[in-house]
């Protein structure tokens, strides 16, 4: 099953054009979690990481597909806000920026990064890969770890509020401003937990069996706003309900130990896994990932953090 995040690849940001959905089956609201390590990021998988860190993660010591080059895969078209202008090599968009940041941590200059087109499902299918790592909103989960290695998480999927552009809820900039709104979410989801635990609305939220029903209620004015994961929010507002907007995203998600994260995909047992995961962990620790997220998902994508 494709993750809910894959739907985001079809989303339009405030600064980007409308995007196309890649697979409706990706729209599962429940997170596909891979567990979390001591730092809060999902732990890396694969025999390379299990065997311990290599003696050196310098470029000349890494067994990359092409000597002196780092080959990075992603799907085509490459959609905003993860990429910009369908050009992964331009460094614009969240995942393009993350890929180049990982490359720099590994010692590769921008001109040494080679991009390769890889269909989403092929990225984590069994079999040898032609890329060093793939970045394509792939959620970390145990089923995928059976076929490929996954790095530690480079993006923590958050929840977001969607409202019709002409509604009062669309003007909210804080959680307090949403307390009086009629809110809705799918039953049994983190989205519903966020409403109850963080917004704490004055009236009981509407609960729907499916996100499709929640979207219909939003369009019909039965609710003022709905809560879904942020990637799905990008998709809904870009492809399904263009008269709606992403009001904002939540800073944290209830049950942090079970949160959904995106990981970089590598060959099963890749010798690069531990080095790539170390690079991701370093980018999280030094604030680089947070800065990239703010630039491309909060600011450029029009999804400010609601506090």
């Amino acid at each position: 099953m494709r993750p809910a995040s894959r739907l985001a690849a079809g989303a339009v940001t405030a600064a980007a054009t409308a995007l196309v959905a890649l697979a409706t089956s990706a729209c599962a609201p429940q997170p596909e979690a891979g567990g979390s390590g001591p730092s809060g990021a999902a732990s890396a998988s694969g025999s390379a990481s299990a065997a311990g860190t290599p003696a050196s993660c310098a470029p000349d010591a890494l067994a990359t597909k092409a000597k002196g080059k780092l080959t990075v895969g992603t799907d085509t078209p490459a959609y905003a806000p993860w990429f910009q202008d369908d050009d992964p090599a331009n460094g614009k968009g969240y995942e393009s920026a993350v890929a180049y940041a990982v490359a720099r941590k590994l010692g590769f200059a921008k001109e040494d990064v080679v991009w390769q087109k890889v269909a989403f499902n092929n990225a984590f299918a069994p079999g040898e890969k032609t890329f060093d790592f793939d970045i394509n909103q792939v959620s970390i989960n145990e089923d995928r770890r059976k076929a490929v290695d996954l790095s530690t998480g480079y993006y923590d999927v958050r929840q977001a509020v969607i409202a019709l552009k002409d509604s009062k809820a669309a003007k909210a900039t804080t959680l307090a401003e949403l307390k009086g709104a009629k809110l809705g979410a799918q039953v049994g989801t983190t989205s519903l937990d966020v409403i109850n635990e963080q917004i704490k609305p004055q009236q009981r939220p509407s609960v729907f069996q499916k996100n499709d029903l929640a979207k219909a209620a939003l369009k019909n004015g039965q609710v003022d706003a709905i809560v879904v994961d942020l990637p799905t929010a990008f998709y809904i507002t870009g492809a399904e309900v263009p008269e709606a907007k992403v009001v904002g995203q939540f800073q944290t998600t209830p049950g942090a130990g079970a949160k959904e994260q995106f990981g970089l995909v590598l060959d099963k047992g890749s010798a690069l896994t531990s080095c790539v995961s170390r690079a991701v962990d370093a980018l999280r620790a030094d604030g680089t990932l947070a800065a990239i997220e703010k630039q491309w998902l909060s600011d450029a994508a029009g999804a400010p953090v609601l506090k």
Side-chain angles (χ1 to χ4, degrees), residues 12 21 47 68 94 121 127 151 161 195 202 205-206 208 214 218 233 248 274 278 294:
V12 165
S47 59
Y94 181 78
N121 287 329
S151 74
V161 179
I195 292 176
Q202 296 167 355
S206 296
F208 302 95
L218 178 65
S274 57
R278 286 175 61 190
K294 183 178 186 303

Side-chain angles (χ1 to χ4, degrees), residues 142-223:
E142 293 306 319
D143 282 343
R144 288 173 182 158
R145 281 180 167 144
K146 295 174 183 177
V148 295
D149 278 7
L150 293 163
S151 74
T152 50
Y154 65 86
Y155 174 66
D156 302 338
V157 177
R158 298 185 182 187
Q159 300 297 307
V161 179
I162 300 174
L164 297 181
K165 294 175 183 177
D166 59 359
S167 71
K168 182 179 179 180
K171 300 177 177 63
T173 58
T174 66
L175 297 177
E177 291 175 298
L178 291 169
K179 284 186 178 295
K182 180 64 175 176
L183 305 172
Q186 182 171 337
V187 64
T189 61
T190 302
S191 304
L192 185 59
D193 292 340
V194 164
I195 292 176
N196 290 322
E197 297 177 24
Q198 295 194 38
I199 299 178
K200 300 178 181 178
Q202 296 167 355
Q203 52 185 315
R204 187 186 301 273
S206 296
V207 181
F208 302 95
Q209 288 298 316
K210 295 181 179 181
N211 264 341
D212 284 344
L213 298 176
K215 288 180 288 187
L218 178 65
K219 293 177 71 173
N220 295 334
Q222 295 170 284
V223 294

